[in-house]
Amino acid sequence: MGALTGTTVLEIGGSQTLYAGKLLADQGADVLLVEPLEGHESRRIPPFAPDASGDVTSISFAYFNGNKRSAALPLMEPPGLGAFPRLIDGADVILAGGRPSDITRLGITPTSLPERTVVTTITPFGWTGPYAEWLADDLTLSALGGLLNMGGYHDGRPLKVPGLQSYVAAGIFGAIGTVAALIEKETTGAGQHVDVSVHESVTMALENAAQFYDFEGTVRRRHGGSQVQAARGAYRCRDGYVYLMAGVRAEAKFWRKLLQWLDEESVPGRGVLSGEKWLQRDYVESEEAKELFHEVFSAFCAEKTQTELYTGARSRAIPLAPINDLTAVLDSEQLAAREFLRRVPREDWPHGPVTAPGAPYRMSATPWDGSYSPPALEVASTGPTERDGDRRPQVVDGMEEVRP
Amino acid sequence: MSRRPLSGLRVIDFCWVGAGSYTTRILADLGADVVKIESGKRIDQIRLSAPFKDRVPGVNRSGYFADRNSGKRSVTVDLKAPGARDLVLELMTTANIVTSNFSPGTMVRLGLGYEDVRRQRPDVIYLEMSMQGASGPESSQVGYGMTIGALTGLQYLVGEPGRPPTGTGTNYPDHVPSPGHAAFAVLSAVMHWRKTGEGQHIDLAQTEATAAVLGPQIMAESLGIHQVSEDNVNPDAIFHDVVRTAGEDRYLAISVSDEAQWQTLLSVLDLEAGPVARAGTVEERSAVRGLLESRTLTWDPYLLMEELQRRGVPSGVVQNARDVIVTDRQLAHRGHWARLPHAEMGECLYNVLPFRFSRTDVRPTVGAPRLGEHTNEVLEAAGWSADEVQRLTEEGVLA
């Protein structure tokens, strides 16, 4: 049993909500994804499973919605979901994505819902404000939120992380806000509007950049392809790159351990790295220090593989890691030992077996209970599938008559 | 402070540095009484990390620390001093939630493991969030958000062929995936506790919480579709990238999904119908960017954004830290930034959680604590006398 077993969630609208709905479903909530008749937009989000034989081809759709039920409803004309009062009345939580006007057009107005309902809206910019109705996507929101500016090379343009990360971030915060509102409701009996902004969710990720501007007036820039300071950056090794984070921060212990390692390996040029100046922020951030360190450490790395460097760093408690591609992630001994990755049974995707992330947390009393068997859009007419009988789309409120 | 969702719940918090402290900061904003157990003998590194107020280092002067620790109370205990363990265990009888992000085994070695605490407080919610989880051959590895990003593929997925991958350029896992999943797990545990009276143990591996945000990409890789940097491409879009504008290091992100928007963009930029970008090759995309930049380089990025938005083309300035604090009208309208007083730093800048509740205000109202600011207050409220507190301070237990 999950912590949210017995909680019913109606998820509707744009893809901003997908990860929030997944988090709630994986803790036991009964999440019903309300789709327009042509299917939720996330059925068309890449990447796609090649040569898929069934209705579900979007891998993203399977990942985000695999633990939800689905109902395809005619929502194009107002009152939208308002035409299905039993659905609204039966929901503890309404989770809606898109711009405020998109959401109200779907028949969701936070102030007109029953008092006990928690309504979580995940909108590009929040429910109100000068940008509230602006057009936006993952790229423009990553830009406006301030994170995009820090990704990419020091001599190049800003580069974005794949995978709708701004929506995932807002989904995480949306799930947090939703459960907090449910806890509050346990006390007061009243639900409320949890108004989540994707834009602000991105701004949560600026690390210390905002405080650097506030205190020092400095604006952090991209530093990809260069060292932030000596011993802090990506270094080429025999079979790829490693990331080292032994630059001097608050304490010098990692720097000392690193020097000890270089001593043990009799690394040429190691002597250059001696002296107290290497413990001063101003010096390790100087071009001279970065160049001197880079020369010595890169020559050391060039002889070794990612695994050799990672193993050596681990035994010495130095923060260094291989810059893994996802095949290396799939092959990780650590993730295997913890049984993190799950085999997903999908006969409709011929190039499998499919492997997917499992629990992002391990809870002893209410364990994660994920699934990657999303509903096909049109299964309702053919009955339950063999694999996962109760995950088929639900036909609700006499919808049989209305469906085309 | 008015009622909040976690009002009445106490967190005894051993978290330090990045992701852990951000987790309990979320709990503090949601109303929990977060008592941060720290020590002058082994200072939270972030207290000693730049930026500092007036650029003067000091344990109570870091803006980096402040943003991660608003609304908490600080109690200094030297966990290695004789008697410290008993004191902390007794304090834990008042705790609903215990949190830490040390290397696996540290809490057990301190005599403060889940079983130790559960004897004092059978219904405790006990969160441990180490880098790679409590078990497995690599569980002892130390790391930061950047190395977590490297291990999990996040960093690999941003960059150009032949150059080292760049990732987000930040310790991203520390700010969203790890604290976010951890806070969600704790809140779920609180829900369960409210219904059943039962506590539980939570083991969060920060690497796993980060891999979870790359779910579709990991699944695709397992199907043999090798995942590489997108180079800002969206295969469904006509144009989906950033272009340079007037100003130093200034870019505007533009996302054109249909022919009408593309024509509008060309018209705003006073360009003849140019080549259509689509996914194309690197060179083709670069040529289209070049064409657009021949005009955008003379545009102020904000004016161009406003004009494109007015005409229905999604766009957003690639904002930097100054922009989001000073320029962004939307963040200002939303009250995203809070400025809260601090006894040593004066006013300090804090992110507000990215949601507003209609009934319950969850904005932070109290800034970060000074080191040990609340030692006396917390212990005396929990039953220690002022004399005992003074004795324990002199003996170096409360230090």
Side-chain angles (χ1 to χ4, degrees), chain B residues 101-259:
Chain B
N101 64 337
F102 298 127
S103 303
T106 305
M107 289 294 276
V108 169
R109 276 198 300 281
L110 290 167
L112 301 170
Y114 179 51
E115 294 306 326
D116 300 308
V117 176
R118 203 149 65 131
R119 273 193 289 278
Q120 299 290 319
R121 178 86 201 199
D123 65 342
V124 72
I125 294 166
Y126 189 96
L127 167 73
E128 296 185 86
M129 47 185 298
S130 57
M131 177 185 176
Q132 302 205 54
S135 59
E138 298 168 25
S139 62
S140 66
Q141 172 65 334
V142 294
Y144 292 100
M146 286 297 296
T147 54
I148 292 166
L151 272 179
T152 53
L154 183 76
Q155 182 161 3
Y156 179 85
L157 291 175
V158 185
E160 290 169 5
R163 301 187 78 179
T166 75
T168 58
T170 67
N171 292 282
Y172 185 73
D174 290 350
H175 302 102
V176 176
S178 298
H181 285 103
F184 174 78
V186 169
L187 287 165
S188 297
V190 169
M191 240 345 237
H192 181 71
W193 173 79
R194 293 282 284 262
K195 283 193 251 181
T196 65
E198 183 185 28
Q200 59 182 308
H201 181 263
I202 304 167
D203 168 28
L204 180 134
Q206 297 185 33
T207 44
E208 293 170 356
T210 303
V213 306
L214 297 171
Q217 288 68 39
I218 289 172
M219 290 169 79
E221 185 93 3
S222 78
L223 286 171
I225 314 165
H226 183 53
Q227 301 292 297
V228 295
S229 173
E230 284 177 354
D231 199 30
N232 291 345
V233 171
N234 173 348
D236 290 336
I238 290 178
F239 184 82
H240 182 271
D241 206 338
V242 297
V243 291
R244 289 167 63 205
T245 65
E248 197 208 338
D249 195 37
R250 276 298 186 196
Y251 292 85
L252 180 70
I254 305 175
S255 188
V256 175
S257 55
D258 61 38
E259 188 58 32

Side-chain angles (χ1 to χ4, degrees), chain A residues 3 5 19 23 48 59-60 63 115 125-131 134-135 137 139 143-144 146 149-153 155 157-163 165 172-173 176-177 179-180 183-184 187 191-197 199-201 203-204 207-216 219-223 241 243 245 250-251 254 281 310 314 317-318 320-327 329-330 334 337-338 340 351-352 354-356 360 362-366, chain B residues 3-5 22 45 50-53 55 63-64 67-68 132 134-138 141-142 144 146-147 150-160 163-164 166 168-171 175 180-181 184-185 187-188 192 194-195 200-204 208 212-213 215-217 219 221-223 225-226 230-232 240-241 248-249 251 255 289 305 309 312 317 319-322 324-325 328-331 333-334 336-337 339 348-349 351-352 354-360:
Chain A
T5 300
Y19 199 73
L23 282 171
F48 297 100
I59 296 170
S60 300
Y63 183 67
E115 198 193 14
F125 297 100
W127 195 254
T128 61
Y131 297 178
W134 275 16
L135 297 167
D137 69 359
L139 176 70
L144 283 164
N149 188 51
M150 293 191 277
Y153 296 97
D155 54 357
R157 72 195 199 285
L159 294 174
K160 188 179 80 65
V161 189
Q165 290 307 325
I172 292 172
F173 286 109
I176 289 170
V179 179
I183 291 169
E184 176 76 4
T187 306
Q192 56 186 318
H193 180 195
V194 179
D195 166 10
V196 186
S197 153
H199 179 204
E200 286 185 74
S201 298
T203 303
M204 295 302 291
E207 200 170 274
N208 53 16
Q211 284 71 29
F212 257 104
Y213 178 75
D214 192 45
F215 276 3
E216 300 193 352
V219 171
R220 267 186 57 179
R221 298 180 62 157
R222 293 177 295 290
H223 51 65
Y241 292 92
Y243 197 89
M245 196 132 173
E251 45 184 342
F254 295 130
R281 179 179 155 199
Y310 182 44
R314 198 160 75 237
I318 294 167
L320 174 149
I323 300 181
N324 284 331
D325 68 4
L326 296 184
T327 290
V329 172
L330 289 166
Q334 172 67 12
R338 283 174 60 80
F340 172 68
H351 301 283
V354 191
T355 304
R362 314 290 175 104
M363 297 176 69
S364 61
T366 60
Chain B
R3 247 207 77 77
R4 296 185 179 214
Y22 230 12
Q45 293 166 48
F52 298 106
K53 178 72 174 176
R55 299 191 183 225
Y64 201 173
D67 188 42
R68 272 138 197 74
Q132 302 205 54
S135 59
E138 298 168 25
Q141 172 65 334
V142 294
Y144 292 100
M146 286 297 296
T147 54
L151 272 179
T152 53
L154 183 76
Q155 182 161 3
Y156 179 85
L157 291 175
V158 185
E160 290 169 5
R163 301 187 78 179
T166 75
T168 58
T170 67
N171 292 282
H175 302 102
H181 285 103
F184 174 78
L187 287 165
S188 297
H192 181 71
R194 293 282 284 262
K195 283 193 251 181
Q200 59 182 308
H201 181 263
I202 304 167
D203 168 28
L204 180 134
E208 293 170 356
V213 306
Q217 288 68 39
M219 290 169 79
E221 185 93 3
S222 78
L223 286 171
I225 314 165
H226 183 53
E230 284 177 354
D231 199 30
N232 291 345
H240 182 271
D241 206 338
E248 197 208 338
D249 195 37
Y251 292 85
S255 188
R289 250 191 350 263
M305 170 174 74
Q309 283 289 351
V317 174
Q319 299 200 102
N320 61 33
R322 179 185 182 279
V324 292
I325 298 167
D328 190 311
R329 294 186 289 138
Q330 179 66 16
L331 291 174
H333 165 87
R334 297 275 295 173
H336 180 76
W337 302 104
R339 288 193 177 276
C348 232
L349 183 74
N351 283 97
V352 174
F355 42 64
R356 309 291 166 270
F357 283 37
S358 57
R359 288 176 188 270
T360 321

